[in-house]
Amino acid sequence: MAMRIPFIAGNWKMFKTKAEAKAFAEEFVKLYKDTDVKTAICAPFTDLDTLKEAFAGTSIGVGAQNVHFEDSGAFTGEVSLPMLKEIGVDYCVIGHSERRQYFNETDETVNKKLKKIFADSDIVPILCVGENLDQREAGKAQEIVENQIKADLKDIAAADAAKMVIAYEPIWAIGTGKTATPEQAGEMCAAIRGIVEKLYDENTCDQVTIQYGGSVKPENATEIMNMPEIDGALVGGASLVPEKFMGIINF
Ligand code: PGA
């Protein structure tokens, strides 16, 4: 069985100017010690080069939060993969529920973006999936997540799928302070591993990194990380404060 390395990623969303990112990074690098846990900050495009520079010589990764599936073109407001590669980003969040909700991201565009990343870069995608409250209450959570994963990974090779990160983020737990119980989170992450096995094979599902995201904080990180099928966390609010994010990494 593959040994999966725990991976804690921050998702800053639309927070922090360059100056604020620099201040965070300076403080965070002082607190940070190399551990067995991989870590990264996924930040606004305008902060990426600042973070790459500030984290140089450390093992702290840097991620974007979106990418377009074309190399260039008349796509006002978008950022392409060559642009991210030039900065040297390590990760890219794809299909976050906020993008699906507010910016017309669909399983189809998510699939195109994943294919683009795998075809032309070594960037590791962090694919976000998850159900909303109505869907959970209707008992449809697993079905929704399974449909998302099937559509998002359509025609993606096993070797690529094995390298990726899937973040299970129940929409009702994002930014609400309402965490899924470790059992709910663990159950869905186990289901996701089963879905990946069904789509591919045992080897692929053993390798894929599965994170939980939704109101993760230092106080609940240990019990979440202790669930056997949860390999990491995608952290929004608590990743904005160096001590809090460090507290999660040291779960
Ligand atoms: P939260 O956000 O930790 O603030 O709930 C998680 C996310 O949206 O990735």
Side-chain angles (χ1 to χ4, degrees):
M1 218 177 89
M3 266 304 289
R4 295 182 301 268
I5 301 166
F7 176 42
I8 309 283
N11 171 20
W12 278 0
K13 310 192 178 191
M14 196 175 71
F15 289 97
K16 294 197 192 292
T17 65
K18 270 170 90 78
E20 289 164 347
K22 190 160 183 273
F24 173 99
E26 280 168 3
E27 220 179 308
F28 187 63
V29 166
K30 277 188 221 150
L31 297 173
Y32 184 79
K33 294 190 183 60
D34 260 331
T35 62
D36 296 338
V37 177
K38 269 194 295 190
T39 188
I41 296 278
C42 302
F45 293 126
T46 46
D47 294 337
L48 296 176
D49 57 353
T50 304
L51 290 184
K52 273 310 279 189
E53 204 180 301
F55 294 155
T58 76
S59 56
I60 308 163
V62 173
Q65 300 173 352
N66 185 28
V67 68
H68 197 273
F69 48 80
E70 295 288 350
D71 276 336
S72 60
F75 300 106
T76 302
E78 291 292 303
V79 166
S80 73
L81 190 68
M83 296 170 189
L84 294 184
K85 281 167 69 178
E86 198 174 79
I87 292 175
V89 309
D90 310 288
Y91 299 93
C92 186
V93 176
I94 298 290
H96 190 279
S97 61
E98 287 150 16
R99 295 214 56 84
R100 294 180 191 253
Q101 245 180 309
Y102 308 129
F103 302 100
N104 277 325
E105 189 85 81
T106 63
D107 288 324
E108 199 187 336
T109 54
V110 164
N111 178 249
K112 284 187 180 171
K113 290 173 182 190
L114 291 175
K115 282 184 183 155
K116 179 69 185 169
I117 289 174
F118 287 130
D120 291 341
S121 77
D122 296 322
I123 292 174
V124 175
I126 304 175
L127 166 67
C128 299
V129 296
E131 81 288 355
N132 65 29
L133 191 56
D134 286 351
Q135 293 163 336
R136 172 147 295 257
E137 286 177 346
K140 293 207 162 106
Q142 281 199 19
E143 183 188 326
I144 294 290
V145 167
E146 174 156 12
N147 289 341
Q148 283 178 335
I149 292 178
K150 270 191 193 156
D152 296 346
L153 297 188
K154 190 169 180 283
D155 298 327
I156 286 174
D160 288 332
K163 285 184 275 188
M164 67 188 297
V165 179
I166 300 177
Y168 167 55
E169 298 207 311
I171 295 169
W172 47 273
I174 295 178
T176 56
K178 209 173 153 181
T179 329
T181 64
E183 291 72 29
Q184 283 172 323
E187 190 185 19
M188 186 65 88
C189 290
I192 290 173
R193 208 172 296 286
I195 294 163
V196 173
E197 180 167 16
K198 225 163 67 180
L199 285 175
Y200 298 96
D201 50 50
E202 200 184 327
N203 183 40
T204 308
C205 88
D206 267 355
Q207 289 183 60
V208 71
T209 298
I210 303 179
Q211 295 177 322
Y212 166 76
S215 301
V216 176
K217 37 187 186 279
E219 296 76 27
N220 61 21
T222 309
E223 50 177 10
I224 291 167
M225 291 301 294
N226 278 345
M227 300 306 288
E229 293 304 335
I230 300 182
D231 306 320
L234 186 56
V235 184
S239 72
L240 296 168
V241 182
E243 295 77 14
K244 283 194 190 172
F245 192 50
M246 207 55 228
I248 296 171
I249 293 166
N250 292 331
F251 65 88

